[in-house]
Amino acid sequence: MSDREQGPRGDDRGAAFAGARLHIVTGKGGTGKTTAATALALSLASRGGRVLLVEVEGRQGVASLLGSPALPYEEREMISAPGGGSVHVLAADAEAALLEYLELFYGMRRAGQALTRMGAVDFATTIAPGLRDVLLTGKATEAVRRRAGARGRSSDAPAGAPFHYEAVVMDAPPTGRIGRFLNVNSEVAGLARVGPVRNHADRVMEVIRSDRTRVHVVTLLEEMPAQETRDGIAELRDRGLRPGAVIVNMVAPPLLEATDLAAAVAGETDTAAIASGLGAAGLDPALLGAHGELAADLAGEVRAHALRRLLEERVRGELEELGPPLVELPRVEGGVDRAALGDLARCLTDQGVGR
């Protein structure tokens, strides 16, 4: 899909800035958002570049997915990708980001450490959650702008140097909070109208509203996640942000042909054929029941599956009507490991996500 698709309606903000591409991944809880974000980072790295995956919720979900101990507050290479690329992971932390911010802009590292001991940092980010969001989104947007050889601020790099990362992927909060989380300018309006904090928020929004940034939404073929996806995409557009792809996760393979599906829905499954098939498979006829109870029960299961497939097709059609490209990831049996992540990454690559 083109990176210029799905711009905000009626809004010409977001001219291109100098930096890598930013992919923000959100979705309803339980849809596999972190898995999809990690697979996307690996897909992008398979082109041979360096990709940063930023986690901002403090859950250490990426570390758990990769079977790693809890990650420190540093950018650490975690996955090698085909073609020589690599995925680096940052578990962003609001308190550590604030200390870093105080040192970078005010030279106040010791004062910041004292504030930490007093509990003032936690107090500040609790009473002003907008500040927390600015600090967390700021870590991803700073990495987008950073050039190779930079030390400290992203501007401190040799002129014309390549960007440090090919792309940055943010494993963001769920769709119910994503609009507010990304709209950091409004969140800090009551905190700072001028000065470094406001300037920092403006730079964050310049990246988030850029035509080099997309917000991908992870969902399932179920009514509640699909409804939250619809609401989330509408909110993103209302706030002048650009939806990317709708990533439908955990898609089960079809088990029935269309004619068999229709027959099952209509309750016309041939129980005699089922019983015959069970017998041919070597099942003891005595277990089938004198009146074919087992075959009837299996026919009921087939009908339930067929009805589920019809629901999924209806939900898929509704998601397609939203406008953003629809891509699918298969259900992984037995849990997601690194090998499965590679398969999911290839699925995203094959469907053109991030091009």
Side-chain angles (χ1 to χ4, degrees):
M1 77 199 63
S2 168
D3 282 305
R4 294 189 178 274
E5 291 178 5
Q6 304 303 327
R9 297 174 178 174
D11 193 337
D12 60 358
R13 291 173 293 177
F17 67 97
R21 298 189 185 279
L22 175 61
H23 298 270
I24 300 167
V25 181
T26 184
K28 187 180 186 303
T31 59
K33 172 175 63 69
T34 296
T35 298
T38 306
L40 176 57
L42 183 55
S43 170
L44 296 170
S46 67
R47 302 174 187 176
R50 182 189 295 115
V51 174
L52 177 66
L53 173 59
V54 182
E55 182 180 31
V56 299
E57 293 187 89
R59 298 184 298 107
Q60 291 285 343
V62 176
S64 177
L65 180 65
L66 298 178
S68 165
L71 297 173
Y73 180 67
E74 65 182 35
E75 295 170 17
R76 175 175 293 187
E77 182 175 346
M78 295 294 293
I79 312 175
S80 296
S86 59
V87 176
H88 298 240
V89 180
L90 171 65
D93 174 79
E95 179 177 293
L98 179 56
L99 296 179
E100 184 179 63
Y101 180 85
L102 291 173
E103 179 182 15
L104 186 61
F105 289 95
Y106 298 101
M108 294 175 60
R109 182 169 184 81
R110 290 185 178 180
Q113 292 172 340
L115 288 172
T116 299
R117 289 193 294 271
M118 294 168 55
V121 170
D122 186 60
F123 176 73
T125 55
T126 299
I127 65 172
L131 176 60
R132 178 184 294 272
D133 292 347
V134 170
L135 294 168
L136 294 174
T137 54
K139 288 304 299 178
T141 55
E142 180 278 326
V144 165
R145 294 178 179 272
R146 191 190 314 156
R147 293 185 181 272
R151 300 185 185 88
R153 301 188 190 190
S154 56
S155 59
D156 297 337
F163 293 106
H164 187 72
Y165 289 108
E166 179 77 15
V168 175
V169 177
M170 182 195 297
D171 180 14
T175 41
R177 203 170 81 81
I178 190 63
R180 182 174 179 178
F181 176 78
L182 295 178
N183 196 30
V184 295
N185 262 356
S186 296
E187 293 301 301
V188 302
L191 301 175
R193 298 186 181 277
V194 296
V197 173
R198 182 66 195 205
N199 292 340
H200 184 60
D202 288 342
R203 286 175 62 81
V204 168
M205 288 309 302
E206 182 183 14
V207 174
I208 289 176
R209 285 202 171 122
S210 164
D211 60 5
R212 298 179 67 79
T213 296
R214 290 291 181 272
V215 185
H216 308 289
V217 183
V218 183
T219 189
L220 304 176
L221 291 177
E222 299 175 2
E223 290 182 330
M224 288 185 63
Q227 182 59 53
E228 190 160 320
T229 298
R230 287 191 287 271
D231 295 341
I233 288 177
E235 182 181 17
L236 291 172
R237 286 171 169 158
D238 288 345
R239 292 179 181 268
L241 306 176
R242 291 172 166 81
V246 173
I247 302 174
V248 182
N249 198 15
M250 307 183 206
V251 176
L255 301 179
L256 297 174
E257 299 292 340
T259 54
D260 295 329
L261 194 69
V265 170
E268 298 173 353
T269 301
D270 189 343
T271 54
I274 293 178
S276 175
L278 292 172
L283 186 67
D284 185 346
L287 297 178
L288 295 177
H291 303 287
E293 291 92 342
L294 179 57
D297 289 344
L298 289 174
E301 293 293 329
V302 171
R303 185 170 188 271
H305 168 78
L307 291 171
R308 166 77 184 183
R309 294 296 298 185
L310 285 183
L311 171 64
E312 291 176 348
E313 287 304 314
R314 178 174 63 78
V315 171
R316 181 183 280 109
E318 292 171 352
L319 292 173
E320 288 174 342
E321 292 174 358
L322 294 176
L326 196 70
V327 301
E328 298 188 359
L329 291 176
R331 177 180 296 167
V332 177
E333 302 296 341
V336 178
D337 55 17
R338 294 202 181 206
L341 275 174
D343 294 337
L344 296 176
R346 283 187 289 274
C347 283
L348 293 176
T349 300
D350 293 343
Q351 295 176 81
V353 180
R355 287 180 186 168

